[in-house]
């Protein structure tokens, strides 16, 4: 037993806890998992070496110890999660939770979370079992590694060490390559993590062979490397990769050279370090459910005070589960499970129970019957998007479409004279606008593309959409010029492509969107930064030039100013408020913030003036009414103006569609007036 190893566990678990609590200075706290991997590899391999050299290694006994160590307290935490999931989770969250229960029980949660979301994505913070991905990696290692060592042992230690070193180098190379080419799989899968565990295994072989000594310098360097990773790394650091070698090497240095007598060992062997290290497994299991359920329960991100209180509360909770659940099962006899086979059978039966619970959680649309009617009504807005939006929102840069596409055209029209173009904001209002036009006996054609400003000549800084905007809108513009189109309605998320930043409403609602911004297509080989003022100026000027080009060519133009963004998932926040019985389902955001965020675009569009130009300002319909100084997001569960955090729902589109129709109709009225004047 090495007290300093328990102290090293504290160095691993506390940064992870503070990282998930949102403490900014611990931006690299996630490297605590890498420390755990090295420690685990070291301890497990030490056991295997000791038993092989003594009386032979028993795989059955090994798995019994693993089951005693891992399953009881994990099961206790899962049981404690169930009532909070029932009470607070929305249906989609419940389905995800059910899937994670199944995956955790099969020690495959790393595969599940790889498929669902990135570790650093905002949605990941709402996954109570997200942290179990590392347990899955370790368990997958435990399945393969002991058997591999047993097979290789007959060839001697040097062969075992050589094979482990070769596999570790291969895994490290894969991690570096994967960090640039398949980041999600790279983060979660054991193929890119094996080298970290194997670094611990190599350390165990070195220790068993006598290749270690006390060194104040090297062990202190190890701690320094770990500290560097904790405070210098962040979510943007490619991970795992060569960067991960810093904490891994640091941990190995502490294991190899931080024995009793060194400064490092004296620090790590103090009672606080050892005490927290002893409960580190329980603490690791408890911290994420505490934080995730707090975030699920709150309408917006919990305050720093709440997260700090939960972080502190995690310690006594973890002590109790260590003292009364983890320790008795791990070290004491279990009367009803007297031998290895029955321990493993008990672990399997426990897993089967949680798998069944997971399947139940995914039934009936995430047990939707739990929700009050208001919550179910609110979620219908999110779960039932307008089919016209789905049909008419393209995303592959389609340049050659057979125009007009029948499904994106008002039913009684074959040769439209009005077209609505833009990005997903245009697509979001398309259905309601098309129905409004149809009722009025007017025609409308809709063509929209995700993440594109609505003109050719642009590209966006996004791997998926980079070149697609130019090709798609080149095809649309060719069609417009060769068709009977008279009026072009333009609606895009103009500010996003200039500023590149997701919307933060300043009240706890931060849009879940990675930064995306635009520049001119002919500058695609000389990329500019998101914050480059020259780039922003170019984009705004090109907006104006493209609008003016349509006007010069004789088209009527209806220019729709930026739609107010919400920042929070409006149906979700309304449903959550109803589920948790809060008073009031009316939500809104600051009108002043809308003006500040969109000031460049508003000022630029205000400079445009032309007889064939009409302007529709969504703020006139969403803001300052019914609440002074606010932009309305929802009035109640039946009147929700967004289907997510920025796209108008049909109710929101209904605020704009009549104004757009009126603007289009005004051109006809203007033409009639001109004809009368000519007749006079």
């Amino acid at each position: 037993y090495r007290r300093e190893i328990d102290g090293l566990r504290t160095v691993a678990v506390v940064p992870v806890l503070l990282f998930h609590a949102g403490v900014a200075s611990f931006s690299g706290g996630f490297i605590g998992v890498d420390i755990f991997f090295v420690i685990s590899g070291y301890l497990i391999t030490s056991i295997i070496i000791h038993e092989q050299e003594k009386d032979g290694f028993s795989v059955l006994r090994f798995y019994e110890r693993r089951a005693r160590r891992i399953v009881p307290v994990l099961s206790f935490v899962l049981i404690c999660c169930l009532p909070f999931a029932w009470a607070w989770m929305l249906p989609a969250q419940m389905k995800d939770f059910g899937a994670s229960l199944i995956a955790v029980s099969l020690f495959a949660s790393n595969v599940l979370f790889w498929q669902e979301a990135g570790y650093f994505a905002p949605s990941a913070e709402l996954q109570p079992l997200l942290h179990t991905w590392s347990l899955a990696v370790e368990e997958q290692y435990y399945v393969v590694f002991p058997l591999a060592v047993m097979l290789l042992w007959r060839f001697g230690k040097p062969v075992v060490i050589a094979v482990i070193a070769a596999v570790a180098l291969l895994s490290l190379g894969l991690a570096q390559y994967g960090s640039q080419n398949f980041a999600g799989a790279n983060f979660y899968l054991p193929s890119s993590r094996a080298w970290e565990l194997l670094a611990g295994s190599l350390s165990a072989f070195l220790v068993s062979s006598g290749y270690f000594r006390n060194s104040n310098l090297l062990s202190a360097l190890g701690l320094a490397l770990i500290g560097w990773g904790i405070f210098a790394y962040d979510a943007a650091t490619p991970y795992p990769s060569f960067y991960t070698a810093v904490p891994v090497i640091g941990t190995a240095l502490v294991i190899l050279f931080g024995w009793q007598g060194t400064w490092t060992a004296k620090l790590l062997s103090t009672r606080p370090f050892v005490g927290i290290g002893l409960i580190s497994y329980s603490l690791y299991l408890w911290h994420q459910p505490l934080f995730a359920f707090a975030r699920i329960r709150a309408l917006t991100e919990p305050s720093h005070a709440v997260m700090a209180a939960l972080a502190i509360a995690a310690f006594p909770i973890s002590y109790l589960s260590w003292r009364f659940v983890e320790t008795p099962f791990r070290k004491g006899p279990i009367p009803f499970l007297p031998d290895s086979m029955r321990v493993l059978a008990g672990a399997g039966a426990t897993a089967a129970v949680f798998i069944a619970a997971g399947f139940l959680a995914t039934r009936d649309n995430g047990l939707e019957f739990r929700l009050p009617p208001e919550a179910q009504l609110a979620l219908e807005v999110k779960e039932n998007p307008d089919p016209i939006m789905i049909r008419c929102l393209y995303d592959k840069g389609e340049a050659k479409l057979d125009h007009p596409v029948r499904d994106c055209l008002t039913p009684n029209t074959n040769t439209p004279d009005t077209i609505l173009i833009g990005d997903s904001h245009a697509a979001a209002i398309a259905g309601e606008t098309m129905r409004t036009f149809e009722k009025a006996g007017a025609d409308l054609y809709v063509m929209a593309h995700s993440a594109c400003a609505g003109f050719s000549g642009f590209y966006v800084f996004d791997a998926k959409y980079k070149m697609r905007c130019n090709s798609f809108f080149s095809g649309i513009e060719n069609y417009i010029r060769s068709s009977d189109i008279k009026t072009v309605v333009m609606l895009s998320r103009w500010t996003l492509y200039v500023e590149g930043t997701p919307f933060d409403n300043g009240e706890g609602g931060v849009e879940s969107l990675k930064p995306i911004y635009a520049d001119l297509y002919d500058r695609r080989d000389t990329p500019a930064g998101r914050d480059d003022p020259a780039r922003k100026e170019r984009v705004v000027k090109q907006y104006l030039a493209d609008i003016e080009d349509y006007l010069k060519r004789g088209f009527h133009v209806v220019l729709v100013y930026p739609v107010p963004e919400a920042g929070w998932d409006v149906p979700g926040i309304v449903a959550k408020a109803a589920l948790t019985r809060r008073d009031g389902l009316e939500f809104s955001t600051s009108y002043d913030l809308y003006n500040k965020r969109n000031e460049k675009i508003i000022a630029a569009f205000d400079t445009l003036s032309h007889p064939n130009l009409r302007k529709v300002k969504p703020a006139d319909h969403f803001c300052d009414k019914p609440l002074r100084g606010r932009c309305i997001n929802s009035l109640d569960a039946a009147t929700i103006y967004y289907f997510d955090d920025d796209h108008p729902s049909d109710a929101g589109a209904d605020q704009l569609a009549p104004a757009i129709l009126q603007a289009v109709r005004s051109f006809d009225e203007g033409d009639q007036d001109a004809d009368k004047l000519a007749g006079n």
Side-chain angles (χ1 to χ4, degrees):
Y1 172 67
R2 296 178 60 182
R3 286 176 60 85
E4 65 273 13
I5 297 297
D6 272 331
L8 190 57
R9 286 191 173 106
T10 299
V11 177
V13 73
V14 171
V16 173
L17 181 148
L18 295 175
F19 171 75
H20 283 144
V23 180
S25 56
F26 283 78
S27 60
F30 55 86
I31 74 163
V33 172
D34 307 295
I35 302 171
F36 275 129
F37 283 159
V38 179
I39 293 173
S40 183
Y42 168 72
L43 294 176
I44 295 305
T45 307
S46 297
I47 292 170
I48 294 173
I49 294 171
H50 174 73
E51 293 189 357
Q52 283 283 27
E53 292 179 341
K54 186 179 178 183
D55 54 4
F57 174 70
S58 168
V59 173
L60 189 63
R61 193 165 60 243
F62 172 81
Y63 287 135
E64 178 197 352
R65 285 195 298 265
R66 289 297 87 203
R68 283 171 171 264
R69 165 73 164 159
I70 292 170
V71 174
V73 68
L74 174 60
S75 300
F76 180 62
V77 171
L78 296 181
I79 289 170
C80 291
C81 287
L82 294 176
F84 296 100
W86 175 277
W88 295 345
M89 280 185 165
L90 298 177
Q93 294 169 335
M94 180 61 83
K95 287 195 289 187
D96 289 343
F97 178 68
S100 66
L101 273 179
I102 297 168
V104 169
S105 303
L106 297 173
F107 289 109
S109 56
N110 57 331
V111 177
L112 174 71
F113 293 124
W114 159 44
Q115 297 292 332
E116 286 189 345
Y119 181 78
F120 301 104
S123 59
E125 295 180 339
L126 303 178
Q127 292 278 11
L129 304 181
L130 174 71
H131 59 325
T132 62
W133 75 268
S134 63
L135 298 184
V137 170
E138 288 196 10
E139 288 304 308
Q140 291 154 15
Y141 165 80
Y142 296 151
V143 169
V144 176
F145 183 75
L147 299 176
V149 171
M150 288 180 66
L151 290 173
L152 293 170
W153 196 265
R154 70 189 67 180
F155 301 106
K157 271 190 184 181
V159 172
V160 178
I161 294 171
V163 171
I164 289 175
V167 174
L169 288 173
L170 181 64
S171 175
L172 173 58
L174 181 63
Q176 175 61 26
Y177 178 78
S179 68
Q180 304 297 323
N181 294 279
F182 40 86
N186 190 59
F187 188 93
Y188 284 114
L189 298 187
S191 52
S192 302
R193 294 288 188 170
W195 67 277
E196 303 177 42
L197 290 141
L198 295 176
S201 299
L202 289 172
S203 299
F205 275 102
L206 290 172
V207 169
S208 72
S209 302
Y211 294 105
F212 67 93
R213 61 185 176 85
N214 281 5
S215 172
N216 283 320
L217 177 62
L218 291 175
S219 58
L221 175 61
L223 278 185
L225 291 174
I226 292 170
W228 170 261
I230 291 170
F231 297 109
Y233 292 175
D234 58 26
T237 305
Y239 219 83
S241 65
F242 289 156
Y243 285 98
T244 314
V246 172
V248 168
I249 292 172
T251 306
L253 288 175
V254 172
I255 290 172
L256 291 171
F257 301 104
W259 295 76
Q260 287 298 317
T262 61
W263 301 328
T264 297
K266 289 177 181 177
L267 172 65
L268 296 179
S269 298
T270 57
R271 290 186 66 182
F273 275 90
V274 173
I276 296 173
L278 287 172
I279 66 169
S280 60
Y281 177 53
S282 284
L283 185 57
Y284 184 76
L285 288 180
W286 276 112
H287 82 281
Q288 177 64 13
L290 287 173
F291 297 153
F293 279 115
R295 290 180 168 114
I296 289 168
R297 174 65 173 78
L299 293 183
T300 60
E301 178 67 15
S303 68
H304 294 310
V306 168
M307 298 304 284
L310 290 171
I312 293 169
F315 287 87
I317 293 172
S318 300
Y319 170 77
L320 292 173
S321 66
W322 169 79
R323 175 69 177 81
F324 296 106
V325 180
E326 186 178 343
T327 302
F329 277 92
R330 183 182 177 190
K331 294 187 175 180
I334 309 174
F336 51 90
L337 300 173
D339 54 47
S340 296
M341 289 302 297
R342 294 189 185 184
V343 169
L344 295 175
T350 302
V353 171
F354 285 115
I355 289 171
F359 276 115
L360 286 174
T362 62
R363 299 290 300 275
D364 298 321
N365 191 29
L367 308 180
E368 189 176 29
F369 61 83
R370 300 171 296 117
L371 276 62
E374 296 87 354
Q376 296 185 37
L377 184 62
L379 291 176
E380 287 181 6
V381 176
K382 185 179 185 69
E383 295 169 357
N384 298 293
D386 195 300
I388 294 175
M389 182 195 76
I390 296 172
R391 293 199 301 263
C392 304
L393 180 62
Y394 293 82
D395 74 344
K396 295 181 176 60
E398 296 87 343
K400 296 181 180 179
L401 294 172
D402 187 13
H403 293 292
V405 177
R406 179 69 260 175
D407 286 343
C408 300
L409 186 62
T410 42
N412 298 320
T413 308
N414 292 316
T415 55
D417 59 18
T418 301
I419 186 171
L420 168 62
I421 60 172
D423 60 7
S424 57
H425 275 205
I429 72 162
E432 192 62 30
T433 305
M434 194 176 289
R435 288 186 287 273
T436 298
F437 271 61
E438 182 185 1
K439 289 177 183 177
D443 65 73
L444 182 67
Y445 184 39
V446 178
M447 280 284 108
H449 195 289
S450 296
C452 295
F455 306 114
S456 63
F458 288 98
Y459 83 102
V460 295
F461 289 80
D462 180 271
K464 180 178 180 181
Y465 297 112
K466 186 173 182 179
M467 300 301 179
R468 297 180 180 183
C469 300
N470 183 68
S471 61
F472 182 82
F473 282 102
S474 291
I476 299 302
E477 289 164 3
N478 289 336
Y479 163 71
I480 290 173
R481 291 165 189 160
S482 62
S483 69
D484 294 327
I485 294 291
K486 295 178 181 178
T487 303
V488 181
V489 182
M490 302 174 179
L491 169 57
S492 286
R493 207 170 167 191
W494 310 105
T495 295
L496 176 65
Y497 307 116
V498 176
E499 301 298 336
T501 53
F503 180 61
D504 180 347
N505 67 22
E507 300 171 29
V510 182
E511 181 188 3
S512 57
L513 174 77
K514 64 182 179 180
I516 183 170
Y517 53 101
D519 203 346
L520 305 190
Y521 188 74
D522 59 11
R523 296 182 62 88
R524 61 192 180 278
D525 296 324
T526 56
R530 185 186 69 185
D531 297 322
D532 183 357
R535 179 196 64 79
K536 295 180 181 181
E537 185 178 353
R538 282 195 300 272
V539 172
V540 174
K541 283 186 176 180
Q542 192 59 44
Y543 284 170
L544 300 181
D546 287 333
I547 295 166
E548 289 171 342
D549 182 68
Y550 274 105
L551 294 168
K552 289 176 183 176
R553 291 174 180 271
F555 292 100
H556 298 155
V557 173
V558 176
L559 178 60
V560 184
Y561 280 50
V563 174
E565 301 147 304
W568 41 46
D569 174 11
V570 180
I573 202 171
V574 171
K576 188 186 293 188
L579 175 62
T580 51
R581 309 297 179 180
R582 287 172 168 88
D583 293 332
L585 301 180
E586 182 182 89
F587 291 93
S588 61
T589 51
S590 167
Y591 190 10
D592 287 340
L593 185 60
Y594 167 83
N595 286 321
K596 182 177 180 181
R597 175 166 168 84
N598 297 288
E599 59 185 347
K600 287 188 181 71
I601 296 300
I602 293 172
F605 286 179
D606 283 349
T607 65
L608 292 171
S609 179
H610 192 280
N612 287 344
L613 176 66
R614 302 290 186 271
K615 300 175 182 179
V616 173
K617 299 181 178 180
D620 292 345
H621 304 273
F622 285 85
C623 306
D624 250 2
K625 55 183 182 182
L627 299 175
R628 188 72 176 170
R630 306 289 292 178
C631 297
I632 198 70
N633 303 155
S634 67
L635 295 177
D636 50 40
T639 311
I640 297 175
Y641 291 125
Y642 299 82
F643 67 74
D644 58 8
D645 48 26
D646 66 278
H647 293 88
S649 64
D650 282 349
D654 189 49
Q655 300 296 304
L656 300 178
I660 292 172
L661 175 64
Q662 182 180 355
V664 172
R665 283 274 174 89
S666 71
F667 292 120
D668 294 334
E669 294 168 0
D671 291 343
Q672 292 171 6
D673 291 341
D675 290 340
K676 290 179 181 178
L677 289 173
N680 290 336

